[in-house]
Amino acid sequence: MAGRTGQDAGREEKLPLVSIFPSIDGEVNSAGQGTLSTFIRLAGCNLRCWGGRCDTPQGLSVTENTPRVSVDDLVARVVALAGRKTTVTGGEPLLYLGKGLETLLRALGERGMRISVETNGSIVPPVELRPFVECWVVDHKCPSTGETGAMAPLERMTTALRATDYLKFVIADAEDYAFAKDIALRCGRVPGVPRIAFSPKADDMPPAWLAENIIRDRLHNVQFNLQIHKTVWPAGEGEV
Ligand code: SF4
């Protein structure tokens, strides 16, 4: 029997998994908000937004009870769920660069999967993964999170992203809005930068306040992004 190739062996790499589930993609992404997608939620995050009161607490930590799942198994589960688009999220997926993430993205890409990856802005996505990742959705942290200091330098981030990727800001208050607006205005003067989205933080920011400020300030390069899964399933019951 022939030995396993280096690539096959790589697919035995294991990633800490919270859940795999089909849903609608409630965030901005290149395939369009509301597109059916199979979510792979990995465990483990290097940040603690809002003092750990983040909206995906199940993805924060890897514990001894967190299942470690091989890339082969992850791909098989996505295929069994009839996935055509996959959203890799967390936690922070880019923590697993060199530890199986590239192998997973390559394996999904080779099956013709459209892939978006949601990432927290602290790690610049590597250029080598561009052929497999259709859309990076980078959640650049605003002051209310307490994690702006952990963000990768903005210039490095915008240089690494394409015009089809997203730089997203979740806005909880007026200070967050002023912070995000300043970046949006600066980015608006540079051709080829990623698309920019502002999301109202659920429970904290009235959507109308944010929309009206975007209109008042004529932020023509900003896309208003209501995280529609939080409207459809406000208690998170859409995740199965
Ligand atoms: S980056 Fe995301 S998962 Fe990590 S603490 Fe912040 S909101 Fe939670």
Side-chain angles (χ1 to χ4, degrees), residues 41 44-50 52-57 59-60 90-92 119-120 139 141 145 147:
R41 186 182 299 286
C45 186
N46 54 331
L47 304 186
R48 290 294 179 269
C49 300
W50 303 290
R53 291 177 292 106
C54 92
D55 57 358
T56 49
L60 276 180
E92 175 43 57
T119 175
N120 68 19
D139 187 348
K141 299 302 178 186
T145 64
E147 291 287 12

